[in-house]
Amino acid sequence: MTPKDIFVRVRMAPEINDNAEVKYSDYNLIAALNSVLSIVYNTLSSSSNDLLTQEKELTLTDGRAALPSDFLSVVNVTAGNYVLKPQSKSNDVDEYSYRIRGNYLYSGNSTVTLEYKPYFTDIDYDTTGTELILPNYFSELLKKYVVIVLQGGINKNDSTIVQQVTDDVYKLTAGREYSRIDIQPVWRV
């Protein structure tokens, strides 16, 4: 699923009805999609869900390696068969530990594998044909909220819509590798 795929669906939506591409420019659609994707990415990044998890092998020089440009948070750091432990700044790192300071990862290993969650980088005109990290089943949710944005129903101050997007993302991903479990108490008499 690419942003262009979503734009086609948005333009075909009855509320938008812009198959001739005269009501909304691609830049309008890009801005609306960026608003929605920012909320979706923030929601997924703060959950235990693994949908956004990326993996990158880092080669350390003099005990450090630059973090990926889209690095947000660590999921796991491994070297060989070991899961490395995060080290506080008061202790030195060794081959069984790592530390992140600024834009660098420090460790006593020559290479490590970093599993991480990326932050959302805005889509621009040149990247509308690039596949999104999100699975295809997000397409309807993205279309729905891009339509709402285009109709003026969302802005940074509209917490109701932001909460609605967040709730829909959790519903869509609940149970995926036990990312969220809602337990309802059963009352017996």
Side-chain angles (χ1 to χ4, degrees), residues 12 29 38 45 63 78 98 109 142 163 171-172 175:
M12 292 174 50
L29 294 172
S38 179
S45 290
T78 58
Y98 73 93
N109 297 284
L142 295 174
Q163 185 60 50
K171 286 177 190 170
L172 192 59

Side-chain angles (χ1 to χ4, degrees), residues 51-111:
L51 280 175
L52 298 180
T53 301
Q54 300 286 319
E55 188 174 290
K56 185 167 185 174
E57 187 171 300
L58 303 177
T59 301
L60 288 81
T61 304
D62 295 327
R64 78 178 195 169
L67 293 168
S69 60
D70 61 347
F71 173 81
L72 176 66
S73 63
V74 171
V75 174
N76 213 4
V77 179
T78 58
N81 294 327
Y82 296 103
V83 175
L84 304 183
K85 303 278 186 211
Q87 189 63 271
S88 69
K89 61 183 171 182
S90 60
N91 296 323
D92 291 333
V93 294
D94 58 20
E95 65 271 9
Y96 303 106
S97 63
Y98 73 93
R99 174 183 308 120
I100 291 178
R101 185 175 36 190
N103 291 326
Y104 294 95
L105 181 139
Y106 296 85
S107 179
N109 297 284
S110 58
T111 60

Side-chain angles (χ1 to χ4, degrees), residues 22 46 59 62 64 67 78 85 87 99 105 123 133 137 145 153-155 158 165 178-179 185 189:
V22 294
S46 64
T59 301
D62 295 327
R64 78 178 195 169
L67 293 168
T78 58
K85 303 278 186 211
Q87 189 63 271
R99 174 183 308 120
L105 181 139
I123 291 166
I133 295 172
Y137 59 82
Y145 287 106
I154 189 171
N155 59 47
D158 194 344
V165 173
Y178 307 107
S179 61
V189 191

Side-chain angles (χ1 to χ4, degrees), residues 117-134:
K117 291 198 179 188
Y119 66 83
F120 174 65
T121 53
D122 283 348
I123 291 166
D124 59 26
Y125 190 77
D126 294 330
T127 58
T128 58
T130 304
E131 287 288 323
L132 294 172
I133 295 172
L134 298 172

